């Protein structure tokens, strides 16, 4: 069982930056791919970024490529999402999630989910 707790959300003006953190419980953190998703009311949950267990591979949605950076610190059981050049359309609840297989990295079929953190970008 893995429990995930996100933090770092907030309100920022367009062009600003935020860094989200997600702390995981358990001793098997490094065996999981970790992903970030976002959800806006009326839309489907959207894949944002993911990172392999060692951190050697990263994956991004086209909409955030070049602006967002995912990273992890396995010693701290933490995954981060650095978000730069934020746009109003980035406004959403952001979730971190864990999955054991690369097959599902870009899908929503993750095994464990956090409770989400709100990010609001004003124009």
């Amino acid at each position: 069982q893995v429990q995930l707790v996100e933090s770092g959300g907030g309100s920022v003006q367009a062009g600003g930056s935020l860094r989200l953190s997600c702390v995981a419980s358990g001793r098997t953190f490094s065996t999981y791919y970790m992903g970030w998703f976002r959800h806006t009311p009326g839309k489907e949950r959207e894949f944002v970024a993911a990172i392999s267990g060692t951190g050697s591979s990263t994956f991004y949605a086209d909409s955030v490529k070049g602006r967002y950076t995912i990273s992890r610190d396995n010693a701290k059981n933490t995954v981060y999402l650095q978000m730069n050049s934020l746009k109003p359309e980035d406004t959403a609840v952001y979730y971190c999630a864990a999955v054991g297989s690369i097959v599902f990295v870009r899908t929503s079929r993750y095994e464990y989910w956090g409770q989400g953190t709100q990010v609001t970008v004003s124009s």
Side-chain angles (χ1 to χ4, degrees):
Q1 188 77 8
V2 176
Q3 293 184 324
L4 305 171
V5 179
E6 302 99 332
S7 63
S11 297
V12 64
Q13 289 191 328
S17 299
L18 284 173
R19 188 176 82 153
L20 306 183
S21 300
C22 173
V23 179
S25 65
R27 299 181 179 180
T28 60
F29 177 72
S30 63
T31 67
Y32 287 93
Y33 286 82
M34 297 299 298
W36 286 96
F37 289 77
R38 63 188 182 187
H39 181 250
T40 303
K43 296 183 179 180
E44 291 189 0
R45 184 165 48 192
E46 177 188 14
F47 168 79
V48 174
I51 188 167
S52 63
T54 62
S56 60
S57 297
T58 55
F59 312 82
Y60 294 96
D62 288 343
S63 58
V64 306
K65 199 173 295 182
R67 300 188 298 122
Y68 288 16
T69 303
I70 189 170
S71 62
R72 67 190 295 162
D73 184 340
N74 286 342
K76 296 181 178 180
N77 275 19
T78 302
V79 61
Y80 304 97
L81 186 67
Q82 178 66 45
M83 306 184 294
N84 298 329
S85 301
L86 283 163
K87 305 175 182 179
E89 51 264 43
D90 294 319
T91 295
V93 177
Y94 283 71
Y95 298 88
C96 78
V99 67
S101 171
I102 191 175
V103 173
F104 304 118
V105 159
R106 291 184 179 271
T107 76
S108 61
R109 293 177 64 180
Y110 279 56
E111 298 162 62
Y112 303 103
W113 294 84
Q115 82 289 349
T117 186
Q118 176 71 46
V119 171
T120 302
V121 184
S122 58
S123 57

